[in-house]
Every structure is written in C-alpha cells, then in structure tokens.
Amino acid sequence: MLKSKEAYEFICKGINRKDKFDEFETIFGQHKNDTTEDTVNIKKVKQRDNDGDIKRFAANFYKASIVNYKGYIQGTSQADKNRYSEVIASTLLSKNLLKTWADLKPVRSNHFDTNHSPSEIVDMKKLQDTNRKEEILAKLLFYQREVDGLGYIFDYQTPLKATQNDSYGKIDLLGYNTDDECYSVIELKYRPSGSEETLLRCVLEAYTYYKLLDLKQIKSDVDHAGIKALKKELPKYKHTDKAELVILFDEKSCTDDDGGAETNLLLRIDPVAVDKPNYPSKTVVSQQYKECKELKDLSKRNQLRSLCENILKQEPELKQIRFVVLQAQKVSKAPYKNKVDNWSENLDRLYRAETLLTISK
C-alpha cells in the first residue's frame, strides 16, 4: 500500500522540487527515512484514529507550503498548465491520490460542545483585542446569522479533533443553504492586507474538514444554541445529509482613497483606537479573487476545476463547491439580532455575499 511519504514524494517530483521533501517530517510528523517498524510505532502513538498511514497524507497535505505556491515550475514556460497549483492538482488525479481522502473519518464524538450562541452578549472592544482578524470576521458573520447570498450561519470555529495530539484544525463557519437545502462547510479567507492563500489550498482544506465532520450530529444536538436557532427560525429548514463546500473570501482590501470606507470588511482593526478606522497602506486584491476570476475562464486552471469535479464524483452527499466573495453591506437592512456592546455600523459591518462560481455535479 502507498505510504504518506511516497505520496508526498510523487508531488515533490511532479513540481520539480525534491528539496521540499525535507519538509515531510514537519508536515506529517514522520521522519522521511523511517523504517516500517518505526512507522507502525508512530501510527500507534500519533494516529490511533486512523487505520492506515496514507490517511496522514490526506489529513495534512493542505498544510504543505508547496500547496500555496503561486508561480510556475522552474525551467518551464509560464503557461497555465505549468503553474504549481495546476501540476499538483494534476498529480493528485493522475496518481490516484485523491482517493486517499475517501478513507478519512470523523474522530470527534461531539463537534458542538462549545457553547457557541448567536445570542451571546458581545463586547466589540474585547473581541478586537486579538490579532486574529479572520476569527473576528467569522464571529461577526455568526452573530449576523443570515447573510444574503451565503446562507444561515449557525456555528463558527467548529472543532474536529478528538484529542490535543490530533493535528486537525477547526471549521471556520458552518451554515445552511436554504435555496439548495444543504449544509455549508465554509472556509473563510481574510486578512486586512489581502489574503494570499491559493484556491488549491482552500479547496483541499475545506474538503479535508468536510471529511472530518460528522453531519449527523447536527440532527441529534439539542444543546447547541446555534443549531436550536437554525431549526426554529428557518421555515424551509429540514435535516439533510447533503452538503456543499464554500470558499469565502474578500475581493480586495482598499485604502481610504480607494473606497475602503465603503468596501473593506473590517475597519475597527485597532483595539486601542476603537473609534478610528484603520486602512491598509495599499490596495491589494486577494489571491482567491484573482484565481477565481481565472477559474471562471474555461481555458484556465483546468486541473483545479477537474480536481473539484472529481471531489464531487467521489462524495455522493456533496452537492457542489461554491466560490463566494464576501462584501460589506452598504445599507444595513437590519441590526444585529443580539446585543453587541460598543458596536457601530460605521466600523463593524453587516455583510452580504455574491457567488462568483459554482461547480456542481
């Protein structure tokens, strides 16, 4: 059976970057020269939740630095087919490595024991004390609850790991798409200076998290305020096993002169001067927005599109992959439904979303 280090080596060779194989231990927690006996011992200690070594490749590959490379493979022409992300996507398919994700299983018995509540009282000053702006934005979307063009948000930072030793992260947002009657596993990408992560990383991260999420727990959990509100407040809601992956991102981060006052997703980014908006030093278009515009062109990023299509073929309950741009609501349709201390619509926004591209079965 193929081992995780062999799978990673295939990718490194495919992009002509054998030097990146040295990152194997850091990414997958295994020495690249491990013996079979060593591998068995490591599996016993670090991967009790997995049946095979190859699952570590699927669970951790999106973290590899090469997944976030934006340029072209060294020594090749600067053609779309020679982009790092295109060759990596092609190798995942041609070497049948995408199949390894099919064996990932949820390991956490209760994703919703976090006491997250959409009606909790929030102090914006305290919320802004962290530098994790993506997390702040996720919470604001959760507190808003219904986001036009996106859906109903009923949880944020949903945990996936069973023990502290697990390498799994958290799902940024969980929502319900009323129009398509499916749950949304939402991967949010945001930085005040412009997010630089590739769509390849975004898609693989969202897919990995989807595989590690037990959707059935939504139906049975009655103690989670967000799920209770979901069941109560949406007249069209009904439990389903269907889901979608949503890659949610900003179009661009603008200076004040470029219209940032109207378009930037977060303005209160300085917890010291909470009443003064803080703008980036230059306008930056996000990497996800640039790549999504190319992905809409059928002559570009063919392998990334093919990867998305094959993910959908592989998952019978996955309906679609949506690429969505998040926007500040220029005219507030309604205030937050909960009490938010120190909240100002001039600094902390309501939001809407626009789907740029949907890849479906």
Side-chain angles (χ1 to χ4, degrees):
M1 179 183 291
L2 192 67
K3 300 295 183 182
S4 58
K5 61 182 178 181
E6 295 171 323
Y8 186 60
E9 191 170 19
F10 272 136
I11 303 293
C12 292
K13 287 180 178 178
I15 60 172
N16 218 6
R17 292 299 301 268
K18 294 181 182 179
D19 58 307
K20 288 299 164 181
F21 190 51
D22 290 336
E23 296 180 358
F24 181 84
E25 180 186 347
T26 302
I27 301 167
F28 302 98
Q30 179 186 352
H31 292 283
K32 60 181 179 178
N33 293 322
D34 280 341
T35 64
T36 301
E37 183 178 355
D38 290 334
T39 301
V40 171
N41 291 332
I42 288 169
K43 284 192 292 184
K44 287 180 179 178
V45 174
K46 295 185 176 180
Q47 294 298 119
R48 290 190 178 97
D49 57 312
N50 283 345
D51 296 326
D53 169 78
I54 190 61
K55 289 183 181 179
R56 285 194 291 145
F57 173 78
N60 295 285
F61 179 61
Y62 73 89
K63 303 173 188 175
S65 62
I66 59 175
V67 178
N68 225 28
Y69 284 8
K70 303 168 186 66
Y72 302 86
I73 294 174
Q74 227 172 9
T76 62
S77 62
Q78 292 194 355
D80 194 69
K81 66 178 182 178
N82 292 325
R83 294 180 187 271
Y84 278 107
S85 56
E86 283 290 276
V87 176
I88 291 173
S90 175
T91 306
L92 288 173
L93 296 175
S94 64
K95 298 297 184 182
N96 210 26
L97 297 177
L98 188 64
K99 294 292 184 182
T100 61
W101 271 262
D103 293 328
L104 288 178
K105 304 292 182 186
V107 298
R108 189 180 179 92
S109 59
N110 188 353
H111 299 296
F112 304 104
D113 56 0
T114 56
N115 294 318
H116 292 164
S117 171
S119 58
E120 64 195 24
I121 295 176
V122 180
D123 188 321
M124 285 303 303
K125 290 181 181 179
K126 291 182 179 179
L127 183 62
Q128 295 284 2
D129 280 343
T130 175
N131 286 323
R132 298 191 295 269
K133 304 309 176 189
E134 192 172 276
E135 185 176 325
I136 294 173
L137 182 56
K139 288 182 179 180
L140 290 176
L141 292 168
F142 172 67
Y143 299 143
Q144 182 173 327
R145 297 164 86 167
E146 250 188 294
V147 180
D148 287 348
L150 182 62
Y152 184 97
I153 307 300
F154 63 90
D155 200 29
Y156 70 96
Q157 293 286 297
T158 306
L160 296 170
K161 63 173 61 179
T163 69
Q164 285 299 111
N165 290 331
D166 291 334
S167 62
Y168 312 139
K170 297 179 180 180
I171 297 174
D172 291 328
L173 293 163
L174 280 178
Y176 182 77
N177 182 335
T178 307
D179 293 336
D180 296 323
E181 296 184 339
C182 64
Y183 298 111
S184 303
V185 177
I186 303 170
E187 184 61 27
L188 174 64
K189 296 301 176 188
Y190 173 73
R191 284 174 54 193
S193 58
S195 178
E196 295 181 348
E197 292 188 16
T198 64
L199 282 189
L200 176 63
R201 179 193 162 107
C202 296
V203 169
L204 290 176
E205 188 172 2
Y207 181 35
T208 302
Y209 287 179
Y210 165 75
K211 293 297 295 181
L212 297 170
L213 174 69
D214 183 3
L215 285 172
K216 294 183 177 62
Q217 291 182 19
I218 295 173
K219 186 176 183 180
S220 58
D221 198 301
V222 295
D223 296 324
H224 186 273
I227 294 176
K228 289 171 68 176
L230 168 71
K231 296 175 179 178
K232 180 180 179 181
E233 295 186 13
L234 293 184
K236 294 183 179 180
Y237 170 77
K238 61 181 180 180
H239 182 76
T240 176
D241 293 327
K242 301 293 184 181
E244 65 174 353
L245 305 183
V246 176
I247 313 303
L248 182 64
F249 48 87
D250 192 7
E251 177 180 348
K252 56 186 174 182
S253 184
C254 295
T255 63
D256 189 10
D257 291 339
D258 274 353
E262 295 293 326
T263 60
N264 285 359
L265 298 183
L266 282 177
L267 284 179
R268 192 208 298 249
I269 59 176
D270 185 350
V272 177
V274 293
D275 296 324
K276 295 181 180 179
N278 195 341
Y279 298 91
S281 58
K282 62 180 181 179
T283 294
V284 178
V285 179
S286 73
Q287 184 70 19
Q288 299 87 39
Y289 186 80
K290 288 187 288 188
E291 291 191 19
C292 188
K293 297 290 280 187
E294 293 174 344
L295 189 59
K296 290 176 67 176
D297 184 342
L298 294 178
S299 67
K300 293 181 177 293
R301 298 195 178 271
N302 291 328
Q303 294 305 312
L304 178 58
R305 179 182 289 272
S306 183
L307 182 71
C308 292
E309 292 169 347
N310 277 272
I311 288 173
L312 295 174
K313 289 178 183 177
Q314 187 162 283
E315 302 297 335
E317 306 299 338
L318 202 54
K319 296 184 69 171
Q320 59 195 23
I321 300 176
R322 267 201 302 156
F323 298 87
V324 183
V325 61
L326 186 64
Q327 300 164 334
Q329 191 79 280
K330 293 182 180 179
V331 179
S332 298
K333 293 185 177 180
Y336 282 111
K337 294 181 180 180
N338 61 298
K339 178 183 178 183
V340 180
D341 291 342
N342 299 301
W343 182 79
S344 166
E345 66 180 73
N346 293 324
L347 297 175
D348 307 301
R349 316 303 189 78
L350 291 176
Y351 301 96
R352 58 189 173 89
E354 178 187 352
T355 299
L356 297 183
L357 175 67
T358 300
I359 298 176
S360 56
K361 293 181 178 178

